[in-house]
Amino acid sequence: MDHQPDPSTYNCLSCAKEWPCDPAREHLKATTSDPVQLAMRLWDELEDAAHVLANEPPSVLFERFLKWTW
Ligand SMILES: [Zn+2]
């Protein structure tokens, strides 16, 4: 998939939107059958992203990375 996060900014490398962008979310949903697995996968991403996006409030990161998964 082209829509991967840039590790230094956590913007999408393909469309430059905040990752996970819509195509990335679609891809993650399509390739992860179990909602719990999906949330765990995004939780790992959130942990990495939290270092890069340290200025973002936790609630914003939560909505961006996890809320849409269920
Ligand atoms: Zn993208």
Side-chain angles (χ1 to χ4, degrees):
M1 147 163 108
D2 298 331
H3 294 269
Q4 299 287 347
D6 180 337
S8 63
T9 63
Y10 255 82
N11 289 332
C12 178
L13 287 169
S14 179
C15 62
K17 292 188 176 148
E18 291 185 344
W19 195 92
C21 57
D22 286 344
R25 291 180 192 200
E26 288 298 316
H27 175 83
L28 287 162
K29 271 189 177 166
T31 56
T32 313
S33 54
D34 180 357
V36 177
Q37 290 266 321
L38 182 61
M40 286 172 65
R41 198 166 158 183
L42 270 296
W43 184 260
D44 283 344
E45 295 285 356
L46 174 54
E47 282 192 340
D48 290 343
H51 298 293
V52 178
L53 304 171
N55 292 328
E56 297 279 357
S59 60
V60 168
L61 295 178
F62 177 82
E63 296 238 349
R64 175 169 160 184
F65 283 86
L66 285 169
K67 189 124 186 271
W68 63 272
T69 63
W70 62 74

